[in-house]
Amino acid sequence: MAGQSKEALIPPWGLAVAGATGAVIANAIVYPLDIVKTRLQVQVKRKPTDPVPHDDTHYASTWDAISKIAADDGVVGLYAGINGALIGVASTNFAYFYWYSVVRTLYLSSQKVPAPPSTVIELSLGAVAGAVAQIFTIPVAVVTTRQQTQSKGERKGMIDTAKEVINSEDGWSGLWRGLKASLVLVVNPAITYGAYQRLREVIFPGKLNLRPWEAFLLGAMSKSLATIATQPLIVAKVGLQSKPPPSRQGKPFKSFIEVMQFIVENEGLLGLFKGIAPQISKGLIVQGLLMMTKERMELLFVLLFRRLKAVRLESLQKAADLAAEKTKQALPIITK
């Protein structure tokens, strides 16, 4: 299988660096969409009888959100919290791809008869890797979500935002707010990368290195499937990690189930899919660019390791030849 061959050539840290690099580049390019989808997901649909807060901006669509954020905060507003976001993206994807490579390699090596993992196994391996990655990286996600939903007057740096979370009623545990939802949401990358591997085997069987457009296509297709399947949980997680809506008078949500109940009561079932347009748009572009960049990075690592191996073998051969020559010179010449 293509995945097996590549994993045999590149160590886990190499695959992790390739994945993290692709993720950072892709997310930096489409970051404004990340801001927009977060703002759309945390806002509560107002009823005609509700009073309109003087500092509350309501967004009707993706373009409306982009226009209003740019008008209120300038273009800089579309990049609020980008430093923390990219740190989170880099750390999460490095951890994910590292552990995904490790657990997948362990599984494949445990098989008596080499065979591609089934879809269920592929999803399970992705879920395990995703759970480990989330435990260590969720504090960055919490801080970033807070930064993305802060108004211009409330805007703070990463450290100050983290202190604000810690000083809330949750204390230090506030940095892991939404962990349960995040652990449930490991099915998203699990579906994404499980579907990617499966689609790759079906559409491009036996192909070790994909062309950029092929990797982009597979990444976009797999991410779309994952996003549609998990959007309600994504909305609930964002609701948990952001400030509670004004109608709750500062009372934070305790679980993602409570967030979902609140949304359904106030906005109906469709409220669980709010922000799905920028979510899918972002996912399509990010995952496509991520996998495209990752495939190129992995190819560079393959070429690098091959070159290093060739240089090492060449050095060993020279050393062996030199040792043989010295030994030959040191031996007494025996003549009959």
Side-chain angles (χ1 to χ4, degrees):
M1 189 181 93
Q4 284 177 278
S5 301
K6 188 166 285 187
E7 285 164 10
L9 293 170
I10 308 174
W13 67 263
L15 294 169
V17 169
T21 302
V24 168
I25 292 172
N27 278 275
I29 291 173
V30 301
Y31 188 75
L33 281 175
D34 197 30
I35 286 277
V36 168
K37 68 93 180 171
T38 301
R39 296 280 183 96
L40 287 172
Q41 288 169 353
V42 299
Q43 74 177 5
V44 179
K45 187 177 181 180
R46 288 199 298 258
K47 298 175 182 177
T49 56
D50 291 341
V52 180
H54 71 280
D55 59 345
D56 184 46
T57 304
H58 192 82
Y59 308 111
S61 64
T62 300
W63 181 249
D64 182 53
I66 291 174
S67 302
K68 287 179 178 176
I69 293 171
D72 293 341
D73 303 339
V75 177
V76 175
L78 294 171
Y79 292 88
I82 189 171
N83 293 335
L86 294 184
I87 291 173
V89 163
S91 57
T92 300
N93 281 273
F94 184 93
Y96 179 85
F97 283 110
Y98 180 87
W99 288 110
Y100 181 71
S101 173
V102 169
V103 297
R104 198 169 191 273
T105 301
L106 288 173
Y107 171 79
L108 292 172
S109 63
S110 69
Q111 299 301 296
K112 294 180 180 178
V113 180
S118 66
T119 301
V120 173
I121 293 296
E122 201 75 77
L123 293 177
S124 300
L125 296 176
V128 171
V132 175
Q134 282 296 326
I135 290 171
F136 290 102
T137 60
I138 194 172
V140 180
V142 171
V143 171
T144 299
T145 300
R146 285 292 182 96
Q147 286 186 300
Q148 290 178 339
T149 54
Q150 288 169 346
S151 64
K152 187 176 181 179
E154 299 175 325
R155 197 160 297 155
K156 302 179 181 72
M158 280 188 67
I159 302 299
D160 289 334
T161 303
K163 288 179 180 178
E164 180 183 79
V165 174
I166 294 169
N167 292 332
S168 67
E169 65 178 71
D170 290 331
W172 281 93
S173 64
L175 291 174
W176 277 266
R177 173 169 278 276
L179 177 59
K180 290 180 181 178
S182 295
L183 291 178
V184 174
L185 269 172
V186 298
V187 298
N188 186 293
I191 292 172
T192 300
Y193 298 112
Y196 183 89
Q197 291 289 352
R198 186 63 56 221
L199 289 170
R200 178 174 183 161
E201 292 165 10
V202 173
I203 301 174
F204 307 109
K207 194 167 186 179
L208 178 59
N209 296 307
L210 299 178
R211 294 190 180 96
W213 73 266
E214 294 171 340
F216 187 98
L217 175 66
L218 292 181
M221 290 171 64
S222 58
K223 190 61 178 181
S224 295
L225 293 172
T227 300
I228 293 170
T230 59
Q231 180 67 7
L233 289 173
I234 294 172
V235 172
K237 177 190 170 186
V238 172
L240 267 175
Q241 294 177 340
S242 62
K243 282 186 176 181
S247 60
R248 288 182 64 86
Q249 299 177 340
K251 182 181 178 183
F253 293 105
K254 296 298 182 184
S255 67
F256 65 92
I257 297 296
E258 186 180 4
V259 178
M260 294 171 76
Q261 289 176 337
F262 177 85
I263 292 171
V264 172
E265 289 173 2
N266 287 271
E267 305 176 53
L269 285 172
L270 288 179
L272 296 174
F273 290 88
K274 59 186 176 180
I276 193 168
Q279 183 83 45
I280 288 182
S281 300
K282 178 206 167 194
L284 283 171
I285 300 170
V286 165
Q287 203 62 34
L289 290 174
L290 189 159
M291 299 313 294
M292 184 173 70
T293 307
K294 179 175 177 289
E295 289 287 337
R296 295 297 94 188
M297 287 288 293
E298 288 177 355
L299 178 57
L300 289 176
F301 273 118
V302 169
L303 296 175
L304 173 63
F305 290 135
R306 281 179 181 170
R307 179 58 185 160
L308 291 175
K309 184 177 180 180
V311 170
R312 182 170 175 272
L313 290 174
E314 186 179 338
S315 299
L316 290 173
Q317 186 61 48
K318 286 182 178 179
D321 292 343
L322 182 60
E325 184 65 27
K326 287 183 178 180
T327 302
K328 185 177 179 181
Q329 293 175 356
L331 287 175
I333 300 175
I334 302 175
T335 59
K336 293 184 179 180

